Amino acid sequence: MEKLFAKFANATARATGSPLAFLICVASVVIWASVGPVFKFSETWQLVINTGTTIVTFLMVFLIQNTQNRDGAALQTKLDELILASSAENQFIGIEKLTDKELAALHAHCATQAKKSQAWLEKAQSEREKRRKPASAKAPPRSRTARAKPAS
């Protein structure tokens, strides 16, 4: 049942996210609006579009949520695999299940580490720039009174 629903949700999400589906919706609204004068813009005329859009919206919410849940789970699984395969800290595996407070604390820890890393990188860059200055830049300027050799 789950595989069948997943296939249905994926197919529906692809179809309803297409340009053709958008054009069909625009055409439906244009047709509905153009027959308004025929029905004298009655309550029934308004009820048709309201009911139709409500039903479609209601059903699409569940399909979109299902698709996002699967995409999110797949993304988290891929990130967990990358963490395991790298030298990153394993404490980040499964953090999507933490509370907001726990996530905020972990985020603060990462922000602190990032600032330390940035400071270290800036210090290293500064040291590199000091070493790269040419020797002529360190030499004192020549006197203005020194004369050039005459041409021979």
Side-chain angles (χ1 to χ4, degrees):
M1 178 77 170
E2 282 187 39
K3 281 191 174 190
L4 181 63
F5 181 72
K7 285 182 180 180
F8 173 74
N10 280 337
T12 305
R14 272 193 304 277
T16 57
S18 69
L20 178 62
F22 178 76
L23 291 175
I24 290 170
C25 289
V26 169
S28 299
V29 170
V30 168
I31 291 168
W32 169 78
S34 65
V35 297
V38 173
F39 291 98
K40 298 182 172 121
F41 302 101
S42 67
E43 287 183 18
T44 304
W45 171 79
Q46 292 178 20
L47 189 61
V48 167
I49 197 76
N50 289 341
T51 304
T53 56
T54 300
I55 291 169
V56 169
T57 302
F58 178 75
L59 295 174
M60 288 303 295
V61 164
F62 295 102
L63 291 174
I64 292 168
Q65 188 62 52
N66 177 269
T67 303
Q68 286 183 338
N69 288 346
R70 277 185 289 103
D71 288 350
L75 183 62
Q76 289 302 324
T77 303
K78 290 174 185 179
L79 289 172
D80 289 349
E81 178 60 24
L82 288 173
I83 291 169
L84 285 170
S86 71
S87 61
E89 296 178 37
N90 287 345
Q91 71 181 18
F92 291 99
I93 293 177
I95 65 171
E96 67 276 5
K97 295 176 183 115
L98 297 177
T99 65
D100 288 343
K101 190 174 182 179
E102 292 168 328
L103 280 173
L106 197 54
H107 178 74
H109 169 72
C110 288
T112 301
Q113 293 301 101
K115 285 179 184 176
K116 286 180 183 177
S117 293
Q118 184 63 35
W120 183 85
L121 288 172
E122 287 172 359
K123 182 179 177 185
Q125 181 65 28
S126 174
E127 290 295 322
R128 273 191 225 110
E129 287 174 5
K130 285 180 186 176
R131 285 187 223 141
R132 286 185 186 160
K133 286 189 179 177
S136 62
K138 293 180 182 177
R142 287 200 272 167
S143 167
R144 289 185 182 184
T145 58
R147 296 186 181 195
K149 291 183 181 179
S152 33

